[in-house]
Each structure stands twice: as structure tokens, then as C-alpha cells.
Amino acid sequence: MKRDVRILLLGEPKVGKTSLIMSLVGEEFPEEVPSRAEEITIPADVTPEKVPTHIVDYSEAEQSDEILHEEIVKANVICVVYDVTKEATIEKIRTKWIPLVNGEAEKGKKVPVILVGNKSDLQSGSSMESILPIMNQFSEIETCVECSAKNLKNISELFYYAQKAVLHPTAPLYDPEEKELRPLCVRALSRIFTISDQDSDGILSDEELNFFQKSCFGSPLAPQALEDVKSVVWKNTGEGVQDNGLTLTGFLFLNTLFIQRGRHETTWTILRKFGCDDSLELTDDYLYPPLRVPHGCTTELNHFGYQFIQKLFEKYDVDKDMALSPSELKNLFSVFPYMPWGADVYSTVCSNEKGYITQHGYLCQWTLTAYLDVHRCMEYLGYFGYPVLTEQESQTEAITVTRDKKVDQEKGQTQRNVFLCKVIGPRGTGKSAFLRAFLGTNLTKQQSAAGLSSNYTINTVQVNSQDKYLILYEVDVDTEFLKASDAACDVACLMYDVSDPKSFNYCASIFKQHYMDSGIPCVLVASKADLPEQKQQHGLSPSEFCYKHRLPPPVPFSCLGQDSPSTLLYSKLALAAMFPHRNGSELSTTSFWLRVTLGAAVFTVLGFTFYRAFLKLK
């Protein structure tokens, strides 16, 4: 909605333009009327719509055509004033003023016009008989108000209608020539209907209608008023009411009726509640509410967010098979102007044997979006009507910003539930297979699967009897690590091929360049463990390298078997991410207990020897 309104008064000389402005401001008819009134501003707190309003006068005697053109361009609404007692001033509306204002404007982009019949105190009848043909000819004319500057009749109403024409314009909503809603308005209202139809049965029940009414207008309808609304719809369109509920056809008819009866502010209230601007697009303020994410912090969906998206899943999982088929997924995103999930989603999250995204995979994809691009996540929630349906201020209520990772390290514990692991290794080590295996897919199934691959996979793993989300990201060895920030993650998975003697060199180099002093835990993975192991052409063997740099020993991995790959390795990655402060100490702890064990064994042997010697002496 516009933040202020600029009203320009035009018309023939002596029709009373200046008198109308002076009467409004002074609340009485002026004894002396200047040739032109100075621009005045009415403060927001004294206008019906609580918006500052600028009123501009025009004098043909004082101002040039160039100034007139500039004022027309700046105006939000034009009031064309005529004298109800002079037919000639009415004719000039058709022949001069409307063509001057909107002669070259495109359809749908014309400045709204209010016709103002002044001096009604001098005539007992009405000028509407002469005005109606003009209103029918020019669709940009919003309304006509007959008034009197002398006895103050309809003065405030005149400026209210002018303000209303700007703040609640008819043009974006309704085509007066076709007498129907414009396509963009139909699209916007259809989205609102779909969001409000919370059980997805194609009908707004009494309960859904009352929730909608309360959300938009602050209070529900009385039972009789609700029945009256449905009765009006049913009498005018048979398809508008079904099973005692309002269909989309009925919902659109109701809004058409509001507009035709001059109550388009009702439709605008609905549209703006659901985030629409004057062009019927969702505003940036609605889609992207401000959210501060300090350095070192991450973003996750909280229980409000998961509760909301869970309800969405249940709404669109029509066959209740705990998965979304392609058609169900299409219906889910029908309130979007585009399809947000591409074909790569099927390689990113878990799917069932039919290839449908499971409920678990669906939640994982939302979690991934919230972590990687929280503003995109809030945009998605906005399209689904999150603030309206949850009765919360904005989508930020669905997001948790975690505390700084440095604080987690200092305290030795974390409250985070989502962790990022970068999978790094030379080409051909099996990184992509490692990502797919995280979704429970062995190598045989991977080779037979079609579809677009993804650099990400996400799934849950058990850590200390808790489910945590782990995101795996396959690093492109050709383009990544151009700068230090490219190495940032919660845990690095350095992968080498046991059957390739040159493979480990790359991992060792990456570790020394980016991770050795970073504080980021690293886990080395020996991939293709089903193949014969070759000696690596590095100064140290992988095990020696790990021992030297206080890393856990390499973990073997293979996804060649017929069964689903083991999740143990992925749990180890998540554990390292959760407790990065342990990464350097785990090996030393192992070494310590190894030394203790060896010391105990030596003591036992020596003790036994002394015991035997003692017996001999006896």
C-alpha cells in the first residue's frame, strides 16, 4: 500500500476547485477565494486511511501546460471538477480533461479519476444522467461525487473517495469493460483460497471461513451472517456452494461482488493480509522478513517450523502413503509462482521404492534449505501463508539462529541439530557414491538409477541416542578451495581410493593447507575397501599420517554389497562435528589407554617372573 497520496484537482475555470480545498481545510466556505490554493498536506492521523495526503490545486491562468503535465505525472489520483449547473463543463470532461490525463496511457496503467460535481446547492436535481455515459466510456473513472463547497456537503467524502482510489485501486483487480476479475487478481485470490482450504477438499468449511474472516478482519462471522453469505453466492452461481461450503468459484464471485458494489477495500484487505502489493505480487517485506545471523551461527527450523511443514505434508499426502508422488508435489507447490524443488531433490533426500519423496526426505529437504539459504526458506514459508495460518508475526518465528560455534567449542557441547560435512578427495575416489550411500542406496542401485545428480545429500543419524541431521556436500576439486572460506564446515571428510597409489597425496595436501590449524575436525575415509589395497605414494602411510597429526585412523568404506550401506561411518562424522574439541584428544586418549594397557601387561609379566623366583628361593 502506498505510503502517501497525492490528489490533483483539475477542471474548467470557476468550477470551484480552490473553494473545495479551502472548505475542506477551513471547515467553512471562504469569504475570499484566491486564484489558486497552495499545496496542502493533511497529516496521517486525521485521514480515514491513516496515510498523509497531499492536495494540489491547478490554475490555468497561473500555470503553464508544462507544469500541468508535471503535476499529472506526479499525481496518484485526479479529481476532475465540473459545475453541475453548466453542461459545458461536463462536456469538457469527455473532450479535454480525461484525454489530457490518460490519453497516451496503456490499459491497466491509467491514473484513477474521480468526477466531482460542485455547486450542488444551486441545483435541485442531479447531474448523474449526463455523467453516467461518460463513466461508461472511461473505465479509469472510479466514481462521481456531487458536493457543495458552500454548504460543505460531501466535501470530506470527496477526498475520502480520492484517497480510496489510490490505496484500494480498482484497476489491478477488475476489468470494468469485461465485468470480471483480472487474471492476476484471480491468481492471487486462488492462492489465498488454497492456503485457507486447510484440509485440501476444495471447499471452505464454516470453520475455515471463520478462521479466514478472523485473520483478515479481526473477528469471525456470526452464524446467520455466514449463512447469508453462502445464500447470496448460491443464488448467483450454482457452483459457488458445495456441501455447505464455499468453493473457489464462490470465493471469486464474492470478491467480484465486493468490487462491483464499491467495496474493493474488502478485497484489498484480504490480499494485503496474505502479502500482496498493489501489483498483486508478494512484497519483499512479507517474503523476506529481516533476520540477523551473526558470523559463526547457523539457521535451523524450530518446532514451529517443523509443525507447520508437517501439516502441509499431511494436507497434500492424499493417499496417506507417507510419500509425495509427482502430482502431490505439484499440488503442494501450486501456491508458488515457480517450482522450487528441481529434479536433483530425488538425489538429495530419501525416496521410496517408487521414487517418491518420503515424509522423512521431505523434512530433510526443508532442513537443508533452512541451513543453506534461510531467506529462501522464509520465502517458501511465505508462499504457504505461514504468518496467517500460524497467527505469528512473520516466518522468522519458524527459525532458530544457533549460537556461535566458538561458544559451543568453549562449553564442550552444542544445541545444534544440523551439521555440514564437506566430502573432499581427488576425482574417481567414489565421493558421489558415498553421498548416495548415505541415502541407503548401494552401488548396484546407484548405477541403475537415472536422474539429475546433486552435490548435496541430507539424512538423519543417531548420535548418543539422538537424531541429528547431517548434510554431505561433495566438493568440486576443480573449482573449490580458491579461498580459505571454501573449507568452512563442521567436519571434513577426506576421502582417498585405497586402490590408487596416488590418491592419498591430494588428501594430505588439502589437510595441511586448510585444516591442520583450523580447529575443524577431520575424518579420513579409505574408499573402495572391497578392492586390493595399494601402497600410497606419500611419505607416510595414511595410518602414520593420522597418528602424526592426531587424527582418528582411516575408516574403510565400500558400498558394493547387496545390502544398504552401514550408517556407522556417517554417525562418526556427525559425532566429530558435534564434539570438535575432542578431535585432537581422541587419539591421545587412545594412546594413553594403550600405554596403560601395555604397562599393565609388562607389570603382570614381571610380577609373574618375580613370583616364580621367590618360589625357587623358598
Side-chain angles (χ1 to χ4, degrees):
M1 191 164 74
K2 293 190 182 296
R3 300 187 186 278
D4 61 357
V5 174
R6 190 174 182 85
I7 303 170
L8 174 63
L9 274 69
L10 300 179
E12 294 299 296
K14 307 296 183 181
V15 292
K17 300 185 296 296
T18 308
S19 298
L20 287 168
I21 297 173
M22 303 293 283
S23 294
L24 175 73
V25 176
E27 296 184 347
E28 62 180 2
F29 187 68
E31 294 182 5
E32 293 185 9
V33 180
S35 58
R36 183 175 69 89
E38 294 297 321
E39 178 181 327
I40 66 163
T41 298
I42 302 174
D45 57 354
V46 297
T47 63
E49 297 289 345
K50 305 302 179 188
V51 173
T53 301
H54 312 283
I55 301 175
V56 182
D57 195 6
Y58 168 71
S59 170
E60 197 168 347
E62 289 189 9
Q63 294 171 292
S64 65
D65 290 345
E66 186 178 349
I67 292 174
L68 172 60
H69 178 70
E70 290 174 1
E71 288 294 351
I72 290 172
V73 170
K74 289 192 289 184
N76 301 125
V77 59
I78 307 289
C79 288
V80 179
V81 184
Y82 65 93
D83 183 340
V84 296
T85 67
K86 295 183 179 178
E87 192 69 32
T89 62
I90 296 176
E91 187 58 28
K92 286 285 187 179
I93 298 171
R94 186 201 308 270
T95 59
K96 177 181 178 180
W97 295 112
I98 300 290
L100 182 66
V101 171
N102 284 322
E104 297 179 2
E106 296 177 21
K107 185 179 179 181
K109 294 185 178 180
K110 295 180 177 181
V111 181
V113 173
I114 305 291
L115 299 185
V116 182
N118 193 22
K119 305 185 183 182
S120 64
D121 57 293
L122 301 178
Q123 182 173 287
S124 57
S126 172
S127 62
M128 291 307 293
E129 190 175 333
S130 302
I131 289 297
L132 280 174
I134 300 174
M135 292 182 71
N136 290 332
Q137 181 180 349
F138 298 101
S139 60
E140 62 265 42
I141 298 174
E142 294 279 333
T143 190
C144 177
V145 182
E146 290 190 340
C147 58
S148 170
K150 189 169 185 178
N151 61 22
L152 307 185
K153 178 188 175 184
N154 287 343
I155 299 296
S156 58
E157 284 82 357
L158 149 65
F159 290 102
Y160 166 71
Y161 281 117
Q163 201 179 51
K164 181 178 169 182
V166 176
L167 302 178
H168 309 296
T170 306
L173 308 181
Y174 186 73
D175 186 338
E177 295 173 8
E178 301 294 333
K179 292 182 172 55
E180 63 184 17
L181 297 175
R182 294 190 187 277
L184 283 178
C185 183
V186 171
R187 186 190 74 175
L189 289 172
S190 297
R191 167 184 166 263
I192 291 168
F193 179 89
T194 302
I195 290 170
S196 302
D197 179 17
Q198 297 187 44
D199 58 6
S200 196
D201 64 352
I203 297 167
L204 295 185
S205 65
D206 287 359
E207 184 180 354
E208 289 168 339
L209 268 172
N210 265 327
F211 184 87
F212 166 81
Q213 175 76 15
K214 186 180 177 184
S215 299
C216 295
F217 305 104
S219 60
L221 286 171
Q224 187 56 51
L226 200 57
E227 291 305 314
D228 291 345
V229 166
K230 288 187 285 188
S231 177
V232 169
V233 173
W234 182 78
K235 286 176 182 176
N236 286 274
T237 170
E239 297 176 351
V241 177
Q242 184 180 319
D243 297 333
N244 201 34
L246 202 65
T247 65
L248 175 59
T249 301
F251 184 70
L252 294 175
F253 167 78
L254 207 54
N255 281 279
T256 304
L257 197 61
F258 290 147
I259 295 165
Q260 289 174 340
R261 293 183 177 180
R263 290 174 52 197
H264 31 289
E265 67 273 15
T266 302
T267 298
W268 275 116
T269 300
I270 294 167
L271 291 164
R272 286 174 179 142
K273 180 65 181 179
F274 283 81
C276 291
D277 61 14
D278 287 355
S279 61
L280 300 182
E281 299 294 339
L282 297 187
T283 67
D284 285 350
D285 288 344
Y286 171 82
L287 288 176
Y288 312 107
L291 179 70
R292 182 173 173 269
V293 183
H295 181 71
C297 302
T298 58
T299 48
E300 303 175 1
L301 286 168
N302 58 30
H303 66 287
F304 290 127
Y306 281 116
Q307 195 175 56
F308 181 77
I309 62 172
Q310 176 68 34
K311 285 182 179 178
L312 278 176
F313 182 91
E314 292 167 0
K315 174 179 176 178
Y316 287 98
D317 180 22
V318 178
D319 54 12
K320 306 304 176 188
D321 64 348
M322 303 296 286
L324 294 178
S325 67
S327 62
E328 288 172 337
L329 202 62
K330 185 179 178 182
N331 289 336
L332 169 71
F333 291 119
S334 64
V335 294
F336 281 55
Y338 60 91
M339 184 64 180
W341 293 358
D344 60 339
V345 70
Y346 294 96
S347 302
T348 305
V349 299
C350 293
S351 54
N352 64 13
E353 62 282 355
K354 294 180 180 178
Y356 299 169
I357 295 175
T358 62
Q359 182 185 49
H360 177 71
Y362 165 86
L363 295 174
C364 283
Q365 181 64 24
W366 273 102
T367 303
L368 179 66
T369 307
Y371 184 92
L372 296 179
D373 190 347
V374 68
H375 297 290
R376 182 70 70 184
C377 181
M378 290 195 293
E379 177 194 336
Y380 292 173
L381 292 171
Y383 282 124
F384 282 121
Y386 179 89
V388 179
L389 294 182
T390 60
E391 300 179 87
Q392 294 178 343
E393 189 68 28
S394 73
Q395 300 90 289
T396 57
E397 301 287 338
I399 305 296
T400 290
V401 178
T402 66
R403 69 186 181 190
D404 193 328
K405 196 189 297 184
K406 290 180 181 177
V407 178
D408 284 351
Q409 289 178 332
E410 289 169 5
K411 292 183 178 292
Q413 59 183 5
T414 183
Q415 298 169 331
R416 294 162 62 202
N417 295 300
V418 187
F419 301 94
L420 174 64
C421 170
K422 288 193 172 177
V423 182
I424 305 157
R427 287 194 180 281
T429 54
K431 299 189 296 295
S432 297
F434 182 71
L435 264 68
R436 300 295 92 75
F438 189 33
L439 304 180
T441 309
N442 61 35
L443 191 61
T444 304
K445 289 181 180 177
Q446 290 180 31
Q447 290 170 342
S448 63
L452 194 66
S453 63
S454 170
N455 286 336
Y456 287 98
T457 56
I458 178 172
N459 207 339
T460 53
V461 291
Q462 281 258 320
V463 180
N464 295 344
S465 302
Q466 294 180 338
D467 278 339
K468 300 293 180 181
Y469 286 98
L470 180 66
I471 300 168
L472 301 184
Y473 172 64
E474 180 182 346
V475 173
D476 186 334
V477 296
D478 295 329
T479 60
E480 305 284 342
F481 294 118
L482 300 178
K483 54 186 183 296
S485 61
D486 290 334
C489 56
D490 297 308
V491 58
C493 173
L494 301 173
M495 182 176 287
Y496 68 97
D497 179 354
V498 299
S499 66
D500 180 357
K502 298 178 181 179
S503 184
F504 184 71
N505 278 331
Y506 179 84
C507 294
S509 172
I510 289 294
F511 175 79
K512 289 178 180 178
Q513 287 178 34
H514 298 285
Y515 292 106
M516 190 160 65
D517 301 314
S518 68
I520 296 172
C522 294
V523 175
L524 265 81
V525 173
S527 72
K528 304 184 183 180
D530 53 282
L531 298 178
E533 185 172 358
Q534 299 292 318
K535 183 180 179 181
Q536 295 295 317
Q537 295 176 4
H538 187 73
L540 298 171
S541 71
S543 295
E544 291 169 336
F545 183 90
C546 289
Y547 184 85
K548 178 182 177 181
H549 293 286
R550 300 170 64 81
L551 297 172
V555 183
F557 172 77
S558 172
C559 59
L560 189 63
Q562 294 298 314
D563 298 328
S564 295
S566 169
T567 60
L568 185 61
L569 172 52
Y570 303 105
S571 293
K572 285 184 177 181
L573 290 169
L575 184 66
M578 281 183 69
F579 303 105
H581 58 288
R582 293 184 184 176
N583 191 59
S585 62
E586 276 180 348
L587 186 62
S588 59
T589 303
T590 304
S591 302
F592 170 76
W593 284 109
L594 182 63
R595 288 194 296 272
V596 169
T597 305
L598 287 171
V602 169
F603 180 80
T604 302
V605 171
L606 288 173
F608 182 67
T609 304
F610 283 127
Y611 176 69
R612 289 179 63 184
F614 175 73
L615 286 177
K616 285 181 179 180
L617 288 172
K618 286 181 71 176

